[in-house]
Amino acid sequence: MTYCVSDIHGNYEGYIKLLEKINLSEEDTLYVLGDVVDRGTGGIKILQDMMMHYNIIPIIGNHEYMAINCLKFLNQEITEESIAKLNEGVIQGLLEWQNVGGQATIDEFHKLNPEEKEDIIEYLEEFSSYEEVSVNGKDYILVHAGLSNFSPERPLEGYHISEMIFETPDYDRVYFQDKHLVTGHLPTRCIEGNEGQDKIYKANNHIAIDCGCACIDEGSRLGCICLDTGEEFYV
Ligand SMILES: [Mn+2]
């Protein structure tokens, strides 16, 4: 079976419960569509578990994109050289990351030993920007947020990462007649026509799966879809 989940945002307990709920076996594949880290306090712990599973495939989200550069910077020794590199861009990157919940990840990162820190940075650098899968003869494009500057003729490998992780797609628009676009990033409760519902959204060849697990109010959940059966799982 092929499963997709997104925007776990440091909710380690939810992640573990989900693995149990879908009963992820060695023959299954779980795609994680980005934003594993930040806000919640268990993002690094989730990454450490993910990297132990060859059948959990990570796709980059805007939070990982911000985290990579910042963690690399924080992981170097303080030398004249590193201080010289501390320019406005680096500082702004750190501040922006903190503004969106990066501090939880920084705190967790600081508790790791040097080898674990290296492993996390290396693992984050392995994340793909998107994945294409076929299940039961149906084609899916898995990407964190959407496809900015979309044109049906544009090859997927021609998109820059930044065009796939920040901008939400137009859920009223069919992007590909013959493919489904699976996305996270925007809690589905914010999609027009799905207001207030923390539920997987399916329409116009879109499958939106961020069920607001990072929102702390009641009802917010971690959603997961099985592409083979269409079955939805929530924790
Ligand atoms: Mn996001």
Side-chain angles (χ1 to χ4, degrees):
M1 299 286 177
T2 303
Y3 299 93
C4 298
V5 65
S6 188
D7 295 78
I8 307 171
H9 278 303
N11 183 349
Y12 179 75
E13 202 183 312
Y15 163 79
I16 293 296
K17 276 189 192 156
L18 182 70
L19 294 188
E20 283 165 13
K21 193 154 198 173
I22 63 176
N23 198 11
L24 188 75
S25 79
E26 289 183 7
E27 293 81 53
D28 299 327
T29 305
L30 173 64
Y31 288 92
V32 178
L33 275 65
D35 287 4
V36 174
V37 296
D38 297 351
R39 302 206 176 110
T41 54
I44 300 266
K45 221 168 139 188
I46 300 169
L47 292 175
Q48 288 177 322
D49 187 80
M50 286 169 61
M51 64 172 85
M52 306 294 286
H53 290 84
Y54 67 89
N55 58 340
I56 297 184
I57 314 287
I59 297 170
I60 194 163
N62 52 309
H63 285 263
E64 285 81 22
Y65 188 69
M66 287 185 269
I68 292 174
N69 286 329
C70 294
L71 291 181
K72 272 186 178 168
F73 179 77
L74 294 172
N75 199 34
Q76 55 186 347
E77 275 182 63
I78 297 170
T79 60
E80 266 178 48
E81 203 190 336
S82 71
I83 291 168
K85 274 195 271 175
L86 186 63
N87 57 32
E88 220 164 288
V90 174
I91 294 171
Q92 201 178 332
L94 277 163
L95 289 175
E96 275 171 18
W97 188 34
Q98 281 183 312
N99 277 339
V100 295
Q103 192 60 48
T105 307
I106 294 172
D107 292 343
E108 222 187 332
F109 187 76
H110 280 316
K111 290 180 193 145
L112 302 178
N113 69 41
E115 198 182 323
E116 290 169 328
K117 287 179 178 172
E118 283 298 325
D119 287 346
I120 288 293
I121 290 171
E122 262 174 47
Y123 185 59
L124 286 172
E125 287 184 317
E126 281 170 24
F127 279 37
S128 51
S129 44
Y130 70 95
E131 293 284 342
E132 285 185 278
V133 288
S134 288
V135 179
N136 294 338
K138 278 190 183 169
D139 295 330
Y140 301 86
I141 295 165
L142 319 180
V143 63
H144 175 62
L147 298 170
S148 303
N149 308 309
F150 173 76
S151 145
E153 288 81 37
R154 234 183 129 186
L156 287 177
E157 60 269 22
Y159 285 80
H160 187 261
I161 293 181
S162 60
E163 293 181 299
M164 295 179 145
I165 58 173
F166 291 114
E167 199 186 328
T168 293
D170 178 355
Y171 289 104
D172 292 328
R173 176 177 182 186
V174 174
Y175 281 63
F176 299 97
Q177 294 298 334
D178 53 350
K179 286 176 189 172
H180 285 80
L181 198 57
V182 185
T183 51
H185 189 58
L186 180 74
T188 57
R189 61 170 74 172
C190 305
I191 299 174
E192 214 181 307
N194 204 50
E195 281 91 352
Q197 297 187 71
D198 294 304
K199 193 174 163 293
I200 289 169
Y201 173 85
K202 297 174 187 161
N204 306 321
N205 287 0
H206 286 281
I207 302 176
I209 60 172
D210 175 3
C211 296
C213 151
C215 311
I216 44 163
D217 54 356
E218 215 173 307
S220 64
R221 332 183 256 184
L222 188 59
C224 175
I225 186 158
C226 174
L227 296 181
D228 305 70
T229 61
E231 196 181 344
E232 300 169 12
F233 301 85
Y234 297 96
V235 294

